[in-house]
Amino acid sequence: MATMDSSHALLGLLGTGSGYGYDLKHDYDRHFGAEKPLAFGQVYATLARLMKHGFIALLGDEAGGGPDRKRYEITATGRAELEDWLFSADTPSPALQSNLFAKTIIALLLEDDAARLLDIQRAEHLERMRELTRRKLGADLATVLVCDHALFHIEADLRWIELTSARLGELRAEVAR
């Protein structure tokens, strides 16, 4: 599964109105960072990169109790970039091989227990499904939808695991040639 593009997410958050890096980090984490919040360093490095490309502009600094707070806004170029990103389709995973596929083939080449490998992976997938299902209980709609997205991908992986498990003998013979 592709990782989320934090640069465009931050650009999109600035599209709702100007903001400070600190607030953008918290908004990002609230909407997208449930499993992996952004580090402050990553936020400021991304903002610097967005400024370098002309996608955002610095409105000014405000002195406070700590370091100066910088306020950013999206530029017209940034809005065009954001629109291009929003309305370009994400390509489904272009990779025909996954790590699990490679492990399965290697296990067969080594004449090791590929069925055990697939059983271990199945158990891990099922545990993750239980975790995501628990997370959905009483959650807001955004959380339910992001969990559903992950669950559907896990279900596809589980179907692949079942299909591959059923065909291990045939695959073993093919790999041995």
Side-chain angles (χ1 to χ4, degrees), residues 19 46 73-74 90 143 157 173 177:
T46 301
E73 72 176 350
I74 193 168
D90 286 349
T143 300
D157 286 349
R177 285 189 225 160

Side-chain angles (χ1 to χ4, degrees), residues 126-137:
L126 291 170
E127 178 54 35
R128 180 69 172 144
M129 288 181 87
R130 286 189 286 276
E131 179 185 313
L132 290 166
T133 301
R134 283 191 301 271
R135 184 189 241 175
K136 287 172 48 173
L137 297 175

Side-chain angles (χ1 to χ4, degrees), residues 6 9 14 26 57 60 64-65 79 84 88-89 106 112 116 123 132 137 142-143 148 152 158 160 166:
S6 60
L14 279 171
H26 287 287
R79 284 204 181 275
D84 286 347
S88 63
I106 295 297
D112 213 326
R116 179 173 165 252
L132 290 166
L137 297 175
T143 300
D148 283 342
F152 294 146
L158 283 169
W160 182 88

Side-chain angles (χ1 to χ4, degrees), residues 10 15 17 36 41 43 45 62 74 119 146 152 154 157 172 174:
L10 288 171
K36 189 175 184 219
V43 171
E62 291 180 18
I74 193 168
D119 287 344
V146 78
F152 294 146
I154 293 169
D157 286 349
R172 182 177 285 110
E174 197 172 290

Side-chain angles (χ1 to χ4, degrees), residues 157-173:
D157 286 349
L158 283 169
R159 286 193 308 271
W160 182 88
I161 289 169
E162 294 306 319
L163 179 66
T164 303
S165 293
R167 293 178 169 173
L168 266 181
E170 183 182 345
L171 184 58
R172 182 177 285 110

Side-chain angles (χ1 to χ4, degrees), residues 10-156:
L10 288 171
L11 192 59
L13 291 171
L14 279 171
T16 67
S18 64
Y20 298 100
Y22 179 87
D23 297 327
L24 289 167
K25 185 255 191 287
H26 287 287
D27 287 346
Y28 178 96
D29 289 351
R30 181 172 64 108
H31 292 292
F32 313 113
E35 291 211 354
K36 189 175 184 219
L38 280 181
F40 279 105
Q42 185 179 357
V43 171
Y44 292 110
T46 301
L47 291 172
R49 204 168 39 257
L50 292 171
M51 278 186 53
K52 179 181 166 195
H53 292 303
F55 296 152
I56 64 172
L58 181 63
L59 286 178
D61 296 338
E62 291 180 18
D68 287 352
R69 291 174 36 107
K70 297 177 188 311
R71 190 168 188 83
Y72 302 91
E73 72 176 350
I74 193 168
T75 63
T77 304
R79 284 204 181 275
E81 171 65 20
L82 183 59
E83 187 169 326
D84 286 347
W85 174 75
L86 272 176
F87 297 105
S88 63
D90 286 349
T91 304
S93 178
L96 290 179
Q97 285 104 2
S98 69
N99 201 42
L100 180 55
F101 174 77
K103 285 181 173 186
T104 303
I105 296 298
I106 295 297
L108 292 171
L109 288 169
L110 296 173
E111 297 180 9
D112 213 326
D113 192 353
R116 179 173 165 252
L117 158 72
L118 294 172
D119 287 344
I120 290 168
Q121 194 63 52
R122 182 184 300 106
E124 185 68 23
H125 275 60
L126 291 170
E127 178 54 35
R128 180 69 172 144
M129 288 181 87
R130 286 189 286 276
E131 179 185 313
L132 290 166
T133 301
R134 283 191 301 271
R135 184 189 241 175
K136 287 172 48 173
L137 297 175
D140 61 17
L141 182 57
T143 300
V144 168
L145 290 172
V146 78
C147 288
D148 283 342
H149 185 265
L151 283 164
F152 294 146
H153 282 272
I154 293 169
E155 286 175 2

